[in-house]
Amino acid sequence: MTPVETDGKNRIGLTIADYKGAKSTLCPGCGHDAITGSIIQAAFEAGLEPHRVAKLSGIGCSSKTPAYFLGRSHGFNAVHGRMPSIATGVSVANRTLTLLGVSGDGDTASIGLGQFLHLVRRNVPLLYIVENNGVYGLTKGQFSATADVGSKAKSGRVNELMPIDVCALAIELGCGFVARSFSGDPKQLRPILKAALSHRGTAVVDVISPCVTFNNHEGSTKSYLNVKEHDAPLHDIFFIPSYENIEVDYAPGESREVTLHDGSRITLKKLGEDYDPSDALRALETIHHGRQEDKFVTGLLYVDPDKEPFEQDLRLIKTPLASLPLEKVRPPKEVLDEVMGALMTGKY
Amino acid sequence: MTPVETDGKNRIGLTIADYKGAKSTLCPGCGHDAITGSIIQAAFEAGLEPHRVAKLSGIGCSSKTPAYFLGRSHGFNAVHGRMPSIATGVSVANRTLTLLGVSGDGDTASIGLGQFLHLVRRNVPLLYIVENNGVYGLTKGQFSATADVGSKAKSGRVNELMPIDVCALAIELGCGFVARSFSGDPKQLRPILKAALSHRGTAVVDVISPCVTFNNHEGSTKSYLNVKEHDAPLHDIFFIPSYENIEVDYAPGESREVTLHDGSRITLKKLGEDYDPSDALRALETIHHGRQEDKFVTGLLYVDPDKEPFEQDLRLIKTPLASLPLEKVRPPKEVLDEVMGALMTGKY
Amino acid sequence: MKATTNDFSIHVATVNGSGSQTANTTLLRTIFQMGVPVSGKNLFPSNIAGLPTWFTIRVSERGYLARTRHNDVLVAMNPETSVQDIGAMGPGSILILNEGVPAPRIPEDRTVYKIPFNKLVEPLVADVKLRKLVVNMIYVGVVAHLLGIDLTEVDRALSAQLGKKPKALDMNRAAVRAGADYATRNLKSAPFRLERRDKTEKKILIEGNQAGALGAMFGGVTFLSWYPITPSSSLAESLMAYLDQYRRDPKTGEATFAVIQAEDEIAAIGMVLGASWTGARAMTTTSGPGLSLMTEFTGFAYYAEIPAVIWDIQRVGPSTGLPTRTSQADILSTVFLSHGDTKHVILLPATVEDCFDFGMRAFDLAERLQTPVFVLSDLDLGMNVWMSDPFSYPDKPWDRGKVLDAEALAKAGTFERYRDLDKDGIPYRTLPGTDHPLAGYFTRGSGHDEKAKYTEDAETYKRVMDRLARKYDTARSLVPPPVIERTPGAEIGILGFGSSHWGIVEARDLLAAEGLKTSYLLLKAIPFTSDVESFIKSCDRVYVVEQNRDAQMASLLRMDYPGLAMKLRSILHYDGLSLDAQSIVDQVREREGVLAR
Amino acid sequence: MKATTNDFSIHVATVNGSGSQTANTTLLRTIFQMGVPVSGKNLFPSNIAGLPTWFTIRVSERGYLARTRHNDVLVAMNPETSVQDIGAMGPGSILILNEGVPAPRIPEDRTVYKIPFNKLVEPLVADVKLRKLVVNMIYVGVVAHLLGIDLTEVDRALSAQLGKKPKALDMNRAAVRAGADYATRNLKSAPFRLERRDKTEKKILIEGNQAGALGAMFGGVTFLSWYPITPSSSLAESLMAYLDQYRRDPKTGEATFAVIQAEDEIAAIGMVLGASWTGARAMTTTSGPGLSLMTEFTGFAYYAEIPAVIWDIQRVGPSTGLPTRTSQADILSTVFLSHGDTKHVILLPATVEDCFDFGMRAFDLAERLQTPVFVLSDLDLGMNVWMSDPFSYPDKPWDRGKVLDAEALAKAGTFERYRDLDKDGIPYRTLPGTDHPLAGYFTRGSGHDEKAKYTEDAETYKRVMDRLARKYDTARSLVPPPVIERTPGAEIGILGFGSSHWGIVEARDLLAAEGLKTSYLLLKAIPFTSDVESFIKSCDRVYVVEQNRDAQMASLLRMDYPGLAMKLRSILHYDGLSLDAQSIVDQVREREGVLAR
Ligand SMILES: Cc1ncc(C[n+]2csc(CCOP(=O)(O)OP(=O)(O)O)c2C)c(N)n1
Ligand SMILES: Cc1ncc(C[n+]2csc(CCOP(=O)(O)OP(=O)(O)O)c2C)c(N)n1
Ligand code: SF4
Ligand code: SF4
Ligand SMILES: [Mg+2]
Ligand SMILES: [Mg+2]
């Protein structure tokens, strides 16, 4: 069910090359590069118009990656941990843009935790990807706040603090789209990214992304080996964009379907026990139990397609604020006269 | 079961007056003043030694209150939203102190959210009280991040964003003692405060505390009237300090008992259905349902008496760092010689 | 002894939250209606209710609006401060004393009027709580009578204010009457009179923050993100009110603006940068502590070259300081806000007209220069009531600066974000969403070249930094120039800015009256324009008047003009009270070796 | 042509993460072992692997440690930069070129040695990945041979380094041999020689951050809270390593210190303030962006008077800037860090000995002055390898400042937190937990009186601010004084600080050789001590050398000494590369009108 035509062009006539960016300067084998690959593929398949996309990030190896995809789009590499506030401004200033945010676990769960949670609370429309490796890569391997209990650093130090689970927090803050995946599983990651891009509010996707240089050793819980071993997918995920009406039929009870606001659909094919992603408490429970059992539960954890996005609270005019002409935003002379008149009566 | 002797002195021979502070400058009727009263009473009954207590706060009407109790103790009125980091430093520098932190909903859930959650994650030993009125009192009544959906401000604006629930977040971050109460219910609040003071890790107590000046009107969900109406206590709470061995006996199944690390006990007398405060998921569920039903669920939401406090992760020496003498902290000349010797071989 | 007419100040001492606000406003408006220039200053505590607060009304036929050191009429309602308040009275002043309120021995040359306020209010209102409020209206009546104000004038002011609430109106009317009647029956006439004039015709009364909000609206603001903090909140809140009224579709309720109350100031400035990078006219309002939190992001905006308008309504620091007192002590920390070689552009409004004007102009400058522009107002200017000529509608369209749209890109055929094509240090930018393959670029706070590509190359880094310095020089020719008043034969120059202006204006007259001629430069912006240098050159010595301890503006001038450094002398005022003329006069006298008389 | 002995620099161009570090260190140590003064500078990118990186070894019999503009020996391993690297070679230099790496036309007066590194490594190592690492050791062998270094010296250095890993040792030994053998067989001798001396005996090699960490440990640090950021992380991390080794009970593992990796810099400084308020010796380490985030809290600490030690290892700004390049551009923003009249104390280490010394002293000063003390080091000093005399054990105990314990309180019978009893502006404090009824007080960033009680009183506020200014003056007499070298008959003065010291030392010799005599002041702290003024006075003109664009230190000097403002001339260097002597010489020459030869 990929929308790519035989000539290697997508529905708006662009090739995969049109979605690539500069050459990566990350370490060979870095999980982040794999995610970049999935983002490029997802954006290509979704047929995003590059000029309508704004790429946003904070600081870190992960936050460098927006330079490596969608080279034609505007990009904003903010300061450490503050991408959410930038994103909020961008989204509100031009509601027609598609926002694609990339952050790291340090960027999001340490310095950026407050902004991240307030972004989620406002339900600012964007795809927020956390490239989660449990360490500070760019500063050479200190623990981040998502490091698992008992995980050993290269230095030999062992982390004793509980990991912050960005998915659980996002759900607690009422996020309408929360998923977790693994950089090494593009088959699962791509449909999740495409679905997230179709969601009309904040979509949080936590992608476990091993740091081959500082956190891929024996004893690290976020090494490729360990993640592969403990990856516990909830379901197989397929995404059907609105402009396609493919019918997928599974034996009854074998799968679930979620229809997003733009008409596109997510199909979840059962793996083991049935999982209902519309139940927030169930999702939290699943995450908690997963942690107790040292499992990385991946898949679509929670979805609520109908949550009202931020611009609706603001009752924004349809035209992007950024493109309003002067006459729309400077009231006429009469208004000033009216105000001055009132002030002349001493009514300040 | 109050440990006050007939002569109005507590077990360390102090009177209630010894636990009072400066005259309050808050608005007459402010919920915060009622909480101050309960703190004074609890500290008096618990027989805290004033000089062993450090009072901490951020900025706000609520954060002013430490000046109004325990006048003999050291106090630290930090900058807005940053009391948690101050508390962490104080606690680690002198592990023998009892830390009593007071914050507001703006101070904790808006500007301070990141620091608050990281404090909880580290399990820094202190009683952290959130005096929660859903508004910024000191800046004259803007919505805070704990304002309930649909609550109306004096200005007439209606809050559309979901409230941040500090208790739910604290539980998600693994806090070992989480309770909610109401400034107007000292009978419930005092035992909670005393129990929290006996807990050896971070204890979060969210106290709904109406702002009579800016958030006590018709349409506000945090007005005295509305909170009284929707207050839904989970149980009756009694606290028995370690130094007393009173036996309270209820008909079996009528109550639960929790023993804290210092040997003191919390007795929870059933009200309606039985509630098990040792089940984190159950606690989250209760909070979620409460919100859906517009109820303020109060009582001891979650407790885990055995959680390891921060100083244990740090493997701190018993003596407070603050009182270590020079010879304990300046290694002898031999050490410097050893280090220099190595560096002379060019091994830097 | 002859009565002083239309030249005195009234000082009312009460507690906050006691409803004295309405009474004071009524007095102020009454005087304004009578055509006599007037200003009002509110000295309030940093809490919500029950602490001492003072309201001062300056009546000045000559139009002086600054604070006066001594007050002529004191209304002492607050027992907590009455002794101190009365002690501060000047010779020849009069005291309206709430009976039962403690008072020290009062010298002969002061006139005392004891008023049984509580007795007078009892028959008027049954409800005890209500009495607390209404009692204030009684002193309005007393003052009105003593100053010879016709009660119909007070009535007009009252109804203009409470028109919509007939019950309240009647009650307050009655209170005013009660006060006036008591005064008529028991008090001898006072040495101060108010007489009708026509000097306030076509004038307005307004607070600086309100003026700034109006400016922002007419400047076409589309995005405001803020976090509440005194004394800046009223700017954001009056802007919200104006926008709701004039920038929403009356039918659909759709807004041509967005206002976001951020979770803190870091988020507020972050949202502003995101929005203005995208093409919105974005601003934030804050005060000291908030500004300190914006440090990292403003350095980013300087280097990545993103417009932003940041209002700092200065209050007394350091740290939390005195949140409800006025100051001008954020100059140096703001010019150098953030690490590295960061330098910012600052506007310095002195009047409510400046607030309105800069409210618009700050956007033009920020977008033209592609850098944050700070408007440093202060509590005195922002939260007090000022008389002014009405503001005039902008005669120019806005300036959105160097923005290339798809068409322009097609025409140019090439685009480099940070190329200095015009040799003024200002590059061109594009907005996200621009439908042209050349439009996209990558904004970052790390090292970048003219194409906005990442680089660590030493030469390139230096080149970009040198261009930014060039841009800062360009700013000198774009920021509002100072207002200069040269006095023939004056050796002394006075250099001031912001709310100090009003004290200086009055001080210069006083000095002139003593034969000390002064020229005057009212500074409106940083970086300094060329005429600042020439002004200092043209004077023998220049007194730099500022409301801070560390002579911050004088320090900046010394940095920029080492050759003139020795000409600068500092006149400092930093106790949190707005600057009065006498303080300036005294210090100039002293330095000039003139004996105080 | 005769060979130059013990006076040249070796420049190795590779990519980071390729293991060249070991090779370069081996070379460095070999030379050091041979008794010849040496320094090593690492120029690395802001990423983890695969980008260009350069290591430069300066060999100088006369002990010059600064960077040289041109290098004498270039080892060109990196095809990405080889053309540029080779282009930058100076006349008479030699090039060791990795066969197959692109090269431009090379002038006659350079000597080229083409080496088939990849061919040479093949027989040595089977594993392809391993080859990438080992190949670097081959150039060590080549260089050794060309410089006439006995391979046994290299062996010694190698085993000192890899002693514990016999397999690695053998492999690397073999690689060195292979390089040397190839050179012996194929290369003509080079114009540079290394000869044994005894000038490094009893000397140490160390990085500034490591020295600072040692200082902190011997200064008795008990609390470190930090957030990782280049180039400051290595200070925190080597401190952690030293503390684990020397400040933990070997049996119980109990620590006499706490290290907390905070969630960000706001939390880091907050924890430091909480800890030192409680009585710990607390510090944090950061760089530009982190410092900007500490703005609000440091203003609080200034006003509430809480000790804190803050290390800022300066990197290139503004904003994220060039995280792996060196700079001195945080001066002004740090002195005025935070709104209101805030002024900070700054220490300026110039040598690794200063780093060690200030590592201790900063605590004494912070606790004595009860204020934050900033140690402004930089990447060049902090992260590069310096030769130095060994550090000497402190001969004094620590100074914990004016702290009253229960006994002292009992004796005094009274305690007021902010009373200036000693007229030096420094009050007394008590620590929480002090068992005396007088001990408790309330710390706040809002207005307070001598008793630490809340107040908004104008006079009291002013009194406290004036005392803080007095305290800042007291600091002048407590901070480390400058090191002054007066040259008889010199009209010119040079004023520098921090890592610029090394370039200046060399530049002065070069200038002297041309007959330009200079006196020198090495500034160690802000605020300035009285001898700074007298030094400037004593010179006809003073060149202020600094590594920033905006002449930040010169600006501060002009603010403090308006009368001397015209004597100051700026020599600026701000491309992120550490300062070399020639850049200073050229600029002085130019200003002095001396023709460059
Ligand atoms: C204010 C600030 N503090 C610290 C840093 C240094 N820093 C750069 S990246 C980083 C952490 C990155 O970790 P993460 O977000 O997990 O990204 P990763 O490199 O692991 O992908 C830090 C601390 C900074 N750039 N800015
Ligand atoms: C950095 C900073 N921003 C803003 C303020 C202004 N301010 C003071 S108190 C406050 C909010 C207090 O709200 P809350 O914490 O709920 O306390 P409450 O007054 O409601 O008890 C704000 C925004 C400040 N002091 N510092
Ligand atoms: S350091 Fe880790 S996170 Fe960074 S690029 Fe290398 S592998 Fe990726
Ligand atoms: S404003 Fe509200 S919160 Fe503040 S003191 Fe008054 S009632 Fe309490
Ligand atoms: Mg990471
Ligand atoms: Mg509140």
Side-chain angles (χ1 to χ4, degrees), chain A residues 26 30 32 58-64 79-82 103-111 131-140 142 144 146 209 211, chain C residues 296, chain D residues 48 227-230 233 264-265 286-291 293 315 320 323:
Chain A
L26 303 185
C30 174
H32 301 348
I59 298 280
C61 295
S62 35
S63 294
K64 285 181 175 190
V79 293
H80 192 30
R82 316 300 178 185
S103 177
D105 43 323
D107 199 60
T108 293
S110 296
I111 191 169
E131 302 190 343
N132 186 348
N133 53 18
V135 292
Y136 294 170
L138 192 53
T139 52
K140 299 178 175 272
Q142 302 85 359
S144 81
T146 68
S209 174
C211 168
Chain C
E296 187 192 15
Chain D
I48 304 303
Y227 189 69
I229 184 167
T230 309
S233 301
D264 66 15
E265 291 85 351
T286 190
S287 189
L291 199 64
L293 282 173
R315 68 188 208 184
T320 305

Side-chain angles (χ1 to χ4, degrees), chain D residues 88 298 391 542:
Chain D
T298 54
F391 308 148
V542 174

Side-chain angles (χ1 to χ4, degrees), chain A residues 109 118 121 162 168 172 288, chain B residues 109 117-118 121 162 168 172 288:
Chain A
H118 281 278
R121 175 170 179 254
M162 201 185 92
E172 176 55 40
H288 278 244
Chain B
L117 295 179
H118 281 278
R121 175 170 180 255
M162 201 185 95
E172 176 54 41
H288 279 245

Side-chain angles (χ1 to χ4, degrees), chain D residues 521-534:
Chain D
L521 183 142
L522 175 60
L523 192 66
K524 292 287 180 87
I526 301 169
F528 306 128
T529 56
S530 55
D531 25 16
V532 175
E533 182 172 18
S534 49

Side-chain angles (χ1 to χ4, degrees), chain A residues 109-110 113-114 117-118 121-122 144-145 160-162 164 168-169 172-174 281 284-285 288-289 291 313, chain B residues 109-110 113-114 117-118 121-122 144-145 160-162 164 168-169 172-174 281 284-285 288-289 291 313:
Chain A
S110 296
L113 189 57
L117 295 179
H118 281 278
R121 175 170 179 254
R122 294 190 180 96
S144 81
E160 276 155 348
L161 295 176
M162 201 185 92
I164 287 179
L169 289 177
E172 176 55 40
L173 268 289
L281 286 165
L284 289 175
E285 194 180 2
H288 278 244
H289 291 154
R291 192 185 303 143
D313 298 343
Chain B
S110 295
L113 189 58
L117 295 179
H118 281 278
R121 175 170 180 255
R122 295 191 179 96
S144 81
E160 278 155 345
L161 295 176
M162 201 185 95
I164 288 179
L169 289 177
E172 176 54 41
L173 268 290
L281 286 164
L284 289 175
E285 194 181 2
H288 279 245
H289 292 154
R291 193 186 302 145
D313 298 344

Side-chain angles (χ1 to χ4, degrees), chain A residues 1 14 37 54 77 114 191 222 247 249 262 271 297 309 339:
Chain A
M1 62 187 72
L14 297 181
N77 189 179
K222 288 211 168 65
E247 272 319 319
D249 52 299
D262 66 353
L271 289 176
V297 179
V339 175

